[in-house]
Amino acid sequence: MKIIRNLTTFITLSLSLAVLFSCNKESVKNFDTTVSSPDGKNRIEFSLNSDGEPTYQVFRGDVAVIESSKLGFEFGDSIDMSSNFELVAVEENSIDEIWTPVWGEYAEFTNKAEELILTLTQKGAIAKEMKLVFRAYDDGIAFRFEFPEQANLKEFEILDEVTEFRLVGDPTAWWQKAQFDSYELRYQETKLSEMPSANTPATFRTQDSLYLSIHEAALTDFAGMTLLNKDSSNVLVSQLVPISPDSPVKVKHAAPMKTPWRTVQIAETAGALIESQMIVNLNEPNKIEDTSWIHPAKYMGIWWEMHLNKGTWENKNAADLEHLSLQEQKDAFKAGKGIDKKHAANTENVKKYIDFASKHEMKGLLVEGWNYGWERGWKNFNFTTPYPDFDMQELTKYAQDHDMFLIGHHETGGDVGVYEDQLEDAFKYYNENGVPAVKTGYVRGEGPVDIHGKAYHHHGQRMVQHYRRVLEVAAKNKVMVVGHEIIKPTGVRRTYPNMLSRECVRGQEYNAWDAQGGNKPWHTTVIPFTRMLGGPIDFTPGIFNLTFDEYRPDNRVHTTLAKQLALYVVIYSPVQMAADLPEHYEGNPAFQFIENVPVNWDDTKVLDAEIGNYVVTARKNRNDWYLGAITDEEKRSLEISLDFLDEGATYEAVIYSDSEKTDLENNPTAYEIRNQKVSKSDILNIDMKESGGQAIHFKKLK
Amino acid sequence: MKIIRNLTTFITLSLSLAVLFSCNKESVKNFDTTVSSPDGKNRIEFSLNSDGEPTYQVFRGDVAVIESSKLGFEFGDSIDMSSNFELVAVEENSIDEIWTPVWGEYAEFTNKAEELILTLTQKGAIAKEMKLVFRAYDDGIAFRFEFPEQANLKEFEILDEVTEFRLVGDPTAWWQKAQFDSYELRYQETKLSEMPSANTPATFRTQDSLYLSIHEAALTDFAGMTLLNKDSSNVLVSQLVPISPDSPVKVKHAAPMKTPWRTVQIAETAGALIESQMIVNLNEPNKIEDTSWIHPAKYMGIWWEMHLNKGTWENKNAADLEHLSLQEQKDAFKAGKGIDKKHAANTENVKKYIDFASKHEMKGLLVEGWNYGWERGWKNFNFTTPYPDFDMQELTKYAQDHDMFLIGHHETGGDVGVYEDQLEDAFKYYNENGVPAVKTGYVRGEGPVDIHGKAYHHHGQRMVQHYRRVLEVAAKNKVMVVGHEIIKPTGVRRTYPNMLSRECVRGQEYNAWDAQGGNKPWHTTVIPFTRMLGGPIDFTPGIFNLTFDEYRPDNRVHTTLAKQLALYVVIYSPVQMAADLPEHYEGNPAFQFIENVPVNWDDTKVLDAEIGNYVVTARKNRNDWYLGAITDEEKRSLEISLDFLDEGATYEAVIYSDSEKTDLENNPTAYEIRNQKVSKSDILNIDMKESGGQAIHFKKLK
């Protein structure tokens, strides 16, 4: 069905802040239940079918994007929240807001949309009210459900969501299968009909060459949504993550409540998906009043050497000392106890990293393996007691003296109950010791457990609540958070900007030890269009010693060195690690790019991209632009116009590229750096070898 | 005249350590007065002519290098020391010594020569005795005069030296004209017949394609030697620098004395001149017992910004405070006195340099303009009182805290009397304040003056004595010396290794302000074969902002950026400056080469060179090799074999080169850096643009 909108009417409505159609009419036909984006291109059409089932369709211009799809839930106690509705009210709002992030891909975010709020009520004595809120953005559409406070709905359980996304035809899909405990999975490219299920964001290219990505925004107290392709057709159904493996319940709540937003980003180019601001715009504004302690940072860490098995997380000789006082531990250590030469997070080694890192513009130093717990099989961690060979006071001072800070580490081993018991103390400990950031981790394949051993799903409501609580306690103690193995990003960083970044992806560490050979060359040409649409990725790029034969001869990183540099621009994160060992950077001119590349941006443009093939992204910081280009297993030559540069300005371009000698198999570390003057009117030829890349720093000349 | 040597006899003689022919015979014919180098190629033939004039000839194989040339002096009081001699004794020695320098171009120096000592006496009652010592090295020949203790010679004055260097044919010459007060002159390339005079080293290519360079060694208490081409012929005569402009006397001394060595380096390639160790070998061994405080260093400095006129040496508002106590000066400064915003050597600015330099492996920070004297027209300097805005104690501590040291500065303005009066105090002051190195300077065009205003020549005996005294007082106070506008190097560094480096050349600073347009592109392809044959050059390379239009739009550096890098290898010095401002290095990947390049070497090889055209030099430090290639105004492509690398080893070559876009006139800062694996069997194509260069770091892989 196509509706020919009266544009004049639409504009008039848009200009009014809120036009309320108060009415008691029983038929949807009397309401205008369509809403279009500010640019008029994206359009949502709502309707109720004859069973009173809410449905929606989405169009871009004349092209159907989502065909008529159901909306609703099945609650416990046989409460049906997906049919028997009638429309009683329609409200239309114009959202038009410019907000300044504490950090981000842009200096400003523009939150501009048309909103339609539909009030639906059921018939009968135990009838429920449900609101549906639609937003049409220029870069996609979103909708959420609201369950207002009402006589017939107090506490409730959600057993299933029936919301559908009925795509048109059989689009190409980039996806990883739905998994309730991990996003660290390989991506695949298939026809939608060959995709059984998916974690979100899942991304599609339609027969009309539109790019779509389905995800959610503002997931704060709900189950994570996955997508199920029940009939191997073009209909994806929301499949919520159960709270725990043994429970049919997905969400427990009381009215009033608002669900997360279900989102469909829509773009005419793959790159425009990355440029989209919709997910983060759909979140509530910043709740942290004083944000002076929140700042992006580049960092190094006691980390890669454990992945390479050069060092260990655990101090295997420290166990007996844990319950001594700090002074007693120090004395015992001086007397020669608790020394484990392979334990990486020792005072001397940390200082070596600080010495190097502070010389190269790094601000943070991650320290994994600093506390008790590793030595007992990575469990039951003690978050306030350092190993005896790790002098927290001395090191935080040493870091401060070098204009750096430590990034702490809370590995939970999935013992969330143990962590929650210590949570306030753990963050207070960091606050008092001057550790302003922490990496949290939840390594445990089968899902986290509480103190009674009860297992939950990583992505279920119980854990979503947990991650949020960690964020709030961290904020109270002025600690920034980078999460590993936590819930996917849904733009919550707008509300809690101390939520800097997270992993939730097959990161660099898989290249160190993965039995399946690590990440394939195409991996990083897919994740910017899937995982990264949710938010920043702590991917930990920058490995220079790509084959590390002295440590793990059977593994390697499947990229060239230049591609590692390009990842700092292609993959967005306000914290970017220089992940390799200092000795692998020492004296290498290519490290200058890592030293220079900012972690905060005023502007972002994707210049050219095809998902799974290549990406060319440019980002601006103050006067300078940076460009990152990467390719999959194919070598490529691209012509890139520099028309994003300022009019009339000359830039000194420092170009880090694959060289003639670069060869993925035999010489991946070969590269070249060129320095040349360029301006807006220039076209740059970007040549990349197999799994190669190119990184460019455009320095504006005065 | 050619002598056919009986080789068997020669070898027998060589093997005996000293064979003395004691005799009273009157004719030279009874002595073997020839001596050949250990490899048999270079041969000196001595003879007395019918007037009893000592003469010598030099051959390389069958080829005459120096035709029969006179030897001797004219003393005051009409004493002739150039004729009427007879040969009374001949002694032959083999010199065969390997010595380890405190620092140098080689891990070891091999001092291997055959020596012939001729005792000559005059006839008659006031007859004098003179010894002539010849040494034949594989890389050249040398001779000196000795005046033994004797009844007929006590104190004496030398008015002239008659020693000749009669070259064969009309060689091509690279030279700067003889000047008694400066070596900061342009070099020329002409036929020898068009060279009126020359400072030494002066270098020649003969019709037989031999490369010769005439210089002197061990100039410690004598007049500097220049060369005069009296008749525009092929005969050069030693022209000694007078002690002062108004005196005919060149040297005042008493017997016994030894003159400096007169040297002729001989080589079959231009590069072999640079590899020659003869000059330094001809000096006495190290006299400094504890050399632990002597070490090569890279440095930055408060220096270039004054040459650019961004800052000044003088604090024009400090004059009134000079005679206050240090504490009173500090108080006055706090009260706002003595502040001159353009004065560069102020505490805050010095700290900024240290902050940057300490991050980039620099060890020294030169501070020019720290003391009183500049504000009164650069004269009558006070060497123990810093300007009130320069906190010596705070800065030496700040430097030490950053693992660096200050390089002090003694500008004398030519007031050598004033300097000598303060000399002991000046060095004691640096010693006590922890300043372990000093740059000394003698800027004054018309020559230095004593406290009575009496003028001397920079290169005369009086000043040679002065420079030596400074070196000795410095050594006593454990201070290393870098000299500007002092006497040329003659290998004295072997004896006093605290004599690190010196300028004595048109250095980088001419590019900042020279009214004749600075140094021409060919300049640095000549000085390695002329000035540098004497010893290390403090050339201060590494300018990245090559045109500095914001400071001096009419001046610029006439090289590409890559050539600036190559100079760190081509030009040898145990102290090398990163001469540009920190802001011009910040974030530039090419700076990595300057960070990496060592200032001390285990080996040195010139791979290819033509004087005035191009030079390709490789130097080794521990496992790694570094290569520097530079060209004159012509662009060049050279094929360089890497057969100097270790057998069986793989190296990661980081190649800093001109790029396609590099253009001397319009884009001199364009460059590229390539990284590739190489080994001994590889041939490298080295492409250089006009006045371009290439610098390579070969990192040995384990």
Side-chain angles (χ1 to χ4, degrees), chain B residues 267-337:
Chain B
E268 287 170 7
T269 63
L273 287 179
I274 293 174
E275 292 170 347
S276 164
Q277 303 181 349
M278 187 177 77
I279 301 289
V280 73
N281 277 329
L282 285 165
N283 280 264
E284 286 178 59
N286 175 21
K287 286 188 177 178
I288 300 176
E289 205 163 315
D290 169 19
T291 58
S292 61
W293 51 277
I294 302 174
H295 43 77
K298 266 176 293 185
Y299 72 104
M300 293 186 74
I302 309 290
W303 181 77
W304 188 241
E305 63 183 277
M306 285 88 95
H307 286 284
L308 290 181
N309 198 26
K310 181 188 175 196
T312 58
W313 279 272
E314 68 270 18
N315 179 333
K316 63 180 189 299
N317 299 323
D320 297 343
L321 309 178
E322 181 174 1
H323 299 293
L324 299 179
S325 73
L326 197 61
Q327 189 55 51
E328 285 168 342
Q329 286 202 40
K330 280 188 180 174
D331 293 345
F333 182 65
K334 272 187 201 153
K337 292 184 182 169

Side-chain angles (χ1 to χ4, degrees), chain A residues 358-359 361 586-589 592 596 652 654 656 661 667 669-677 699, chain B residues 358-359 361 586-589 592 596 652 654 656 661 667 669-677 699:
Chain A
S358 64
K359 284 189 174 181
E361 308 301 331
E586 190 72 77
N588 194 322
Q592 187 65 56
N596 289 357
E652 195 162 287
V654 187
Y656 302 72
K661 309 273 180 183
N667 200 3
T669 58
Y671 64 81
E672 66 180 37
I673 306 176
R674 291 194 307 286
N675 188 303
Q676 65 182 71
K677 293 203 170 56
K699 294 189 212 182
Chain B
S358 65
K359 284 189 176 181
E361 308 301 331
E586 191 72 77
N588 194 323
Q592 187 65 55
N596 290 357
E652 194 161 287
V654 187
Y656 301 72
K661 309 272 180 183
N667 200 3
T669 58
Y671 64 81
E672 66 181 37
I673 307 176
R674 291 194 307 285
N675 187 302
Q676 64 182 73
K677 291 202 172 55
K699 295 189 212 183

